[in-house]
């Protein structure tokens, strides 16, 4: 039987959330955020500054585009989407330090972080069910 402490330590090694990703970006950590969704989903909006790499392209593109010593965070739509896990698996197979952003793009948006689309970078209102609505500077 796995020790509960070991389980949760391992879980935090492989998962992160939008708040922690936002903090890491603001802190300037060596991190790349990868959107593994379709072209159509990418066009609707994405984490500001993310790289678009559909999970089916990771094996061929990542070694050419992302340095091996870079921490990688992948995301898809939401908790109801497993494309993030598929993308994380592909990066793990290539030897990257990778985590999946639980909650995906849905929770990134709901927490009011920067969203990018063809019109630029935007902030949507914070959903009080998922984030703390307060005046703050967001990158």
């Amino acid at each position: 039987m796995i020790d509960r402490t070991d389980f949760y330590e391992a879980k935090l090694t492989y998962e992160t959330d939008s708040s922690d990703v936002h903090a890491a970006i603001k802190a300037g950590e060596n991190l790349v955020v990868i959107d593994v969704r379709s072209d159509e989903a990418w066009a609707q909006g994405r984490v500001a500054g993310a790289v678009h790499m559909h999970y089916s392209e990771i094996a061929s593109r990542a070694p050419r585009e992302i340095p091996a010593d870079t921490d990688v965070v992948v995301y898809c739509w939401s908790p109801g989407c497993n494309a993030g896990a598929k993308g994380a698996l592909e990066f793990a197979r290539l030897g990257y330090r990778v985590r999946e952003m639980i909650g995906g793009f849905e929770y990134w948006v709901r927490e009011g972080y920067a969203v990018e689309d063809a019109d630029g970078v935007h902030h949507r209102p914070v959903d009080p069910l998922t984030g703390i609505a307060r005046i703050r500077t967001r990158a």
Side-chain angles (χ1 to χ4, degrees), residues 65-86:
E65 298 177 30
I66 302 171
D69 63 343
T70 304
D71 288 332
V72 174
V73 172
V74 298
Y75 72 89
C76 64
W77 276 111
S78 69
C81 174
N82 70 358
K86 292 175 182 178

Side-chain angles (χ1 to χ4, degrees), residues 54-70:
H54 189 267
Y55 65 85
S56 66
E57 301 172 336
I58 291 169
S60 63
R61 287 183 52 196
R64 293 181 286 125
E65 298 177 30
I66 302 171
D69 63 343
T70 304

Side-chain angles (χ1 to χ4, degrees), residues 17-30:
D17 65 14
S18 55
S19 178
D20 288 344
V21 171
H22 179 260
I25 291 168
K26 280 185 72 171
E29 292 182 19
N30 184 25

